[in-house]
Amino acid sequence: MFNSPPDWPEPIIRVQSLSENCIDSIPERYIKTPNDRPSTNSSIDHANIPIIDLRDLYGGEKDAQLSILKQISEACNEWGFFQIVNHGVSPDLMDKARETWRQFFHLPMEVKQKYANSPKTYEGYGSRLGIEKGAILDWSDYYYLHYLPLCLKDYNKWPDLPPSCREVFDEYGKEVVKLGGRLLKALSTNLGLGEDFLQNAFGGEDIGACLRVNFYPKCPKPDLTLGLSSHSDPGGMTMLLPDDQVAGLQVRKCDNWITVKPHRYAFIVNIGDQIQVLSNAIYKSVEHRVIVNSDKERVSLAFFYNPKSDIPIEPAKELVTLDKPALYPAMTFDQYRLFIRMRGPHGKSQVESLKSRT
C-alpha cells in the first residue's frame, strides 16, 4: 500500500546543536507559517485537562469504581485527554526514567550519533518526523525504541549509556504496559463492550508497545516555532510522562489551545486514532502540539500502547448500527503507521482522510 522510505531526504541536523549555537535567531527551516505559530490569543491559561485518581479503580468499593469509570468516560468524551494519579507506577521509577533519559541527551554528540535512526523504522536517535523534502521542521530531538512484541525488542538499538540505563528503561516499560492494560479495560467497559474487548482487538497479550523520548532544547525564538507540530497520535493510547519542571504540551479544545499543567507524578493519557476507529468515533483522538521555551529544556516520555501491527482494525460490530454505520474501512496498524510516517504530523487530517465514502 505504501513503500517504506530508505533514508531521510536531507542531512540531519541535531536541534540540540542548533540550540547551543543560535543566540537570537533560528534557521528558516524551523519557522512555522503564521497560522501554525504559538499564539497567546488562542491559548487559555486557567483551564486544565481532568485529573483522575485511580486508587479505587481495582479493588475498591463498587460505588468508587463506578465513579472513576464515569470520570474516565467523561474525560474521553469531552477532552480525549486526562491525567491519572495513584496509577501503580512508582514515583521513584518515574523520576529515574525521566532523568536517565535527560542524561542521555547530554552525552557527547559522537556517543548519541551511534544510534542515529532512519525513516524505515524510526528506531534510535532522531531529529525529524516525515520525509517530505524541504518540510518545515520541529524544534526537537527524540529517541524511539520498541518494547513489544518481543521479536522487535532489540537491546542493541537501546542506548548503553548512562550506566544501568537499559535496566531502568526495561523496568519502566514493564510497569507502563501493565498500566495500559488496566486503562484499556476501563475504556472497553465504558463503551459497553466486554472489559477485554479492546485488549483482544489489539491482539490480546501480543500487542505493540513503544517509547518516544522527546528532548526539546531551549529556543531563542519560541514564538516562531513548535517543539512538535499539531497532530493526533496514530496508535491506540498514549501514556505520557511529562517534564516535572516545565509545561509545554497543548491540547486543542474547540478553537483554543489549552496548556496542560502537569500534576506531580501523574501520567497524561490520550486516545489515539486506533481507538477512534474501533469505537466508531464515540471516542475521538484529539489534536495536540508542543510549545518550546527560551529559558529551559524539556524532556518527556511518550509511551504508545498499540494494536499488533498486522491485525486489521475496524469499528467494533457492536458499535455499528443502521443509524451509525461503520465510519472507517479495515486497515492494519502497520499500514496506517507507514501512511503517517510518510507525511509527518498533520493535525487530524490523517485519520479523517480514512473515513469510508458512503
Side-chain angles (χ1 to χ4, degrees), residues 37-320:
R37 294 174 193 171
S39 168
T40 52
N41 298 333
S42 65
S43 60
I44 298 176
D45 291 331
H46 63 268
N48 199 14
I49 62 174
I51 300 172
I52 302 173
D53 189 334
L54 298 188
R55 188 188 304 275
D56 294 324
L57 181 57
Y58 296 104
E61 296 290 327
K62 188 70 173 175
D63 286 349
Q65 291 177 0
L66 291 173
S67 172
I68 296 167
L69 286 171
K70 184 170 183 285
Q71 291 174 62
I72 293 172
S73 178
E74 289 172 351
C76 289
N77 281 307
E78 294 172 20
W79 288 88
F81 267 83
F82 52 96
Q83 299 190 62
I84 52 172
V85 295
N86 293 315
H87 40 62
V89 181
S90 83
D92 180 61
L93 181 58
M94 295 168 79
D95 281 340
K96 198 183 297 182
R98 187 198 304 107
E99 295 316 308
T100 303
W101 274 111
R102 192 187 302 275
Q103 290 171 36
F104 169 81
F105 282 102
H106 284 286
L107 291 170
M109 187 59 71
E110 60 268 20
V111 175
K112 293 179 289 195
Q113 280 294 115
K114 289 193 305 182
Y115 299 100
N117 72 349
S118 82
K120 188 171 179 61
T121 66
Y122 275 73
E123 284 178 279
Y125 177 47
S127 296
R128 69 176 291 167
L129 301 169
I131 58 159
E132 181 188 343
K133 190 170 184 177
I136 298 174
L137 302 175
D138 290 333
W139 193 263
S140 58
D141 299 321
Y142 63 87
Y143 202 104
Y144 182 87
L145 53 83
H146 285 288
Y147 281 94
L148 293 173
L150 291 175
C151 62
L152 292 181
K153 185 178 183 180
D154 183 355
Y155 288 117
N156 293 320
K157 294 180 180 176
W158 295 25
D160 56 0
L161 288 172
S164 79
C165 65
R166 289 179 179 172
E167 291 84 352
V168 172
F169 304 156
D170 221 4
E171 184 185 358
Y172 180 79
K174 286 173 185 171
E175 292 303 311
V176 182
V177 165
K178 289 180 198 170
L179 173 60
R182 293 195 293 271
L183 287 170
L184 216 57
K185 284 181 186 291
L187 299 186
S188 204
T189 300
N190 283 337
L191 286 167
L193 306 166
E195 70 169 19
D196 293 324
F197 182 92
L198 289 177
Q199 186 71 49
N200 290 335
F202 273 37
E205 296 300 310
D206 200 15
I207 61 152
C210 48
L211 176 73
R212 190 180 69 224
V213 185
N214 306 298
F215 183 77
Y216 303 104
K218 291 185 284 188
C219 178
K221 292 290 183 182
D223 54 324
L224 296 181
T225 190
L226 289 167
L228 191 55
S229 295
S230 173
H231 66 288
S232 62
D233 287 348
M237 176 175 59
T238 305
M239 292 160 282
L240 179 80
L241 175 58
D243 195 294
D244 61 341
Q245 301 296 320
V246 192
L249 174 66
Q250 291 190 324
V251 175
R252 187 187 281 281
K253 180 72 167 166
C254 300
D255 292 326
N256 297 303
W257 288 102
I258 310 297
T259 301
V260 176
K261 301 164 187 66
H263 191 282
R264 184 77 167 150
Y265 295 122
F267 282 101
I268 298 170
V269 180
N270 65 279
I271 300 297
D273 294 345
Q274 303 303 302
I275 285 181
Q276 175 168 328
V277 170
L278 280 161
S279 72
N280 207 26
I282 293 172
Y283 290 161
K284 295 182 177 68
S285 59
V286 171
E287 275 185 78
H288 50 288
R289 67 183 188 182
V290 176
I291 56 175
V292 288
N293 192 290
S294 59
D295 301 316
K296 297 178 179 178
E297 69 183 33
R298 288 183 65 249
V299 176
S300 67
L301 282 63
F303 196 95
F304 304 109
Y305 195 93
N306 296 328
K308 186 171 182 284
S309 63
D310 59 357
I311 294 178
I313 300 296
E314 61 186 332
K317 291 179 173 52
E318 294 85 343
L319 303 177
V320 174

Side-chain angles (χ1 to χ4, degrees), residues 9-30:
E10 298 142 330
I12 292 295
I13 298 172
R14 301 304 177 188
V15 177
Q16 191 172 6
S17 297
L18 292 175
S19 173
E20 291 165 358
N21 293 303
C22 294
I23 306 302
D24 57 5
S25 64
I26 60 175
E28 191 174 339
R29 287 293 305 276
Y30 296 87

